[in-house]
Amino acid sequence: MTALAKIASSRLFWPVVMLLVLFAINLVAFPGFFTITVRDGQLFGSLIDILRNGAPTLIIAVGMTLVIATRGIDLSVGAVAAIAGAVACSIILGSPEPGNLATVAVAVAVALVISLVLGVWNGFLVAVLGIQPIIATLILMTAGRGVAMLITEGQILTVNSPPFKFLGSGFWLGVPVAVIIAAVVFGLAALITRRTALGMFIESVGINPEASRQAGVRARGLLFAVYTFCALCAAIAGLILTANTAAADANNTGLFIELDAILAVVIGGTSLAGGRYSLLGTLVGALVIQTLVTTVYTVGIPPIATMVFKAAVVTVVCLLQSPTTAEAFSGFRRRLAVRAGKGLAAS
Amino acid sequence: MTELLDAPGRTSPGADRAPARRAPRTPRGPAGSGPAPSGNPLARAARAAGALLTSPKYGPVTVTAILFVAVFVVGGIRYRGFFSGQVFLNLFVDNAYLIVLAVGMTFVILTGGIDLSVGAVVALSGMIAASLLQTGWSPAAVIPLILVLTSVLGLLVGLMIHVFKVQPFIATLAAMFLARGLCYVISQSSISITDPTFVQLAVSRIPLGGGMSITPSVIIALVVVAIAVWVLHATRFGRTVYAIGGGETSGLLMGLPVARTKVLVYVISGFCSGLAGVLFTFYTLSGYPLTAIGTELDAIAAVVIGGTLLTGGYGFVLGSVLGVLVLGVIQTIITFEGTLSSWWTKIFIGALLLVFIILQKVLTARRR
């Protein structure tokens, strides 16, 4: 197999090609696309914007990747993000000193702890009661938004707290804080699952939970762990989203983000059937989605049409990755080879 | 297999050990507290009821039916004016479109698939109807056009799932994004419908006597349900749908037309979503790109509450209709309560879904 064929058969091939195509379109429509400038010691530029706006999706997608690797799915992440935002904002609003760092720290900590409880709930339904993940998490997806509205009492809570706002739109050493948080989450997940045997255990549970249990892998505990981790990721993303707008909107925080996260995972080449995952693929997938959104803005298509383009990209990537297409390609290559051979024989 | 397992509970009243063994398993029977003397008609009825409740085929539907009646009775005791025929009929009037959606979804879920695009397709067909009627198209052309378009969308999704082995979840997610995006492309704001035929269909009432009435949408929905029942239980296609849900490979080995059926199921779901969209415009008389967000989950919830297993193979269309009615009666109670806010609806529906899934789990686990 030549080097080129090896690259082409990689799972990351089509997503990366898609990303490069999007970059090229951007470069044509907007020549300054790759320029990154430093203003007041902070980095600015389209690429930085893509990273910053894509951070919440990427964080959730990292958690979703591990859940999908166990053959599960988590539909409740958007609702969990909304609950985390609502909890943090209502605590900050309820305190006498909303600008105090300690207040914000408590608010963030409480929001994260609540997300842990929600994650354990999802894990309980899936691991102990054995309910199908899509339905188990559908319950929290439906009820969760109601809970978030209960916390905010149906209002949009606007907070004025500089330390909280820093989470969403601040810069640290010139880099957006959201990007740093995303990098830390991604790095930790990669380190823990790829430098230890944990990733392999997760994959083994995804392939066959019963067989893994009999082989000594604690499938139940692992399922609890991945759903809790996913909820934690969702809460972090929810805090970033809420901090960015400095307002908790129970109805719209993280709306459709579960779908974007699942798309990022699928575009990255992780199969929904579980058993095999690629965090790097998820990173590329999240970048593809965010670059697509940015492209739609820069090219001047009304932003509303983004969803049509998302549908198109998903369809194209799925069709290109499908076994049927791979078979057709290899059949085509074989025929070419046969024809070339015949041509040689004739001459 | 199910028949075989059901048999002792129903046909061996004389066996001495059977009731003693069965009694603790009977969850709700009036005589379930101890070993009943054989031949006692009450005990036999209790045993039959127990067998019905624990059968994986009829159990979940029976539980749903009992719960529906219970909720309705509780509502009747709590609120004045709840116990009227019109309140019951309004469940159909308000949820006609959801019934049609749930019928389509039942077909898909019976094969072990799922369709996430139905809510977006409802919105899309409303937008198409509103925008075309605004430019002066005749309803006689618009409605068939919508039904054809949504069926074609279903066909494409089905082909993607079958030919390219894309998972139903992802394929229908893409269709959902496509449909929702097209809604926004057509218009970003609400378009009202002033076409006289649509207005006529929206306001007209069919009296049933006693001051009760229904809308034409209800009749359309009931016709769809009747056709679905006939297709699923009396045709070869219907049996193939169940067979695919029971085991696709076995279906293939039996020589069933698995490919055709699997694709057709998504065409049916697309058609039903289009029809539901039309019924929804009769109800709202407008097209709005944000309508019906989350309706796909309502439809899935109705199907699940109605006792259809998400893994496919088991379930009834009438169960899904019952599921819609349960969701509707909860909405009605929340309306009658008056002080409950809309977020309690969401929490209630979530909690109810949980109860039903756990019940299904317990009941079906008992038989295996």
Side-chain angles (χ1 to χ4, degrees), chain B residues 96-176:
Chain B
Y97 76 99
L98 195 53
I99 290 177
V100 175
L101 274 188
V103 166
M105 189 68 84
T106 311
F107 275 86
V108 174
I109 292 185
L110 277 177
T111 63
I114 200 148
D115 191 346
L116 297 179
S117 69
V118 294
V121 173
V122 164
L124 179 63
S125 32
M127 291 304 287
I128 295 175
S131 61
L132 286 184
L133 290 172
Q134 205 182 28
T135 56
W137 280 54
S138 137
V142 170
I143 295 175
L145 180 72
I146 288 172
L147 297 181
V148 169
L149 281 180
T150 55
S151 304
V152 169
L153 184 66
L155 177 70
L156 292 179
V157 168
L159 287 176
M160 210 168 140
I161 290 168
H162 183 75
V163 178
F164 288 95
K165 313 270 184 297
V166 178
Q167 286 180 340
F169 191 92
I170 290 300
T172 56
L173 194 64
M176 169 189 171

Side-chain angles (χ1 to χ4, degrees), chain A residues 73 121 130-132 134-135 138-139 141-142 146 150 154 259 263 266 272-273 304 307-308 311 318-319 322 324, chain B residues 114 160 163-164 167 169-170 173-174 176-178 180-182 184 188 297 310-311 343 346 350 354 357 361:
Chain A
I73 205 152
W121 163 257
I131 300 172
Q132 279 186 322
I134 181 172
I135 287 300
L138 175 66
I139 294 169
M141 183 194 192
T142 317
L150 209 60
L259 303 181
L263 284 191
V266 171
L272 278 175
I304 288 309
M307 294 187 104
V308 179
C318 280
L319 294 190
S322 97
T324 314
Chain B
I114 200 148
M160 210 168 140
V163 178
F164 288 95
Q167 286 180 340
F169 191 92
I170 290 300
L173 194 64
M176 169 189 171
F177 274 128
L178 180 69
R180 196 58 84 179
L182 287 178
Y184 287 116
Q188 293 174 38
L297 300 177
L310 273 163
T311 38
W343 49 83
K346 298 186 179 202
L354 178 68
I357 291 157
K361 205 79 210 168

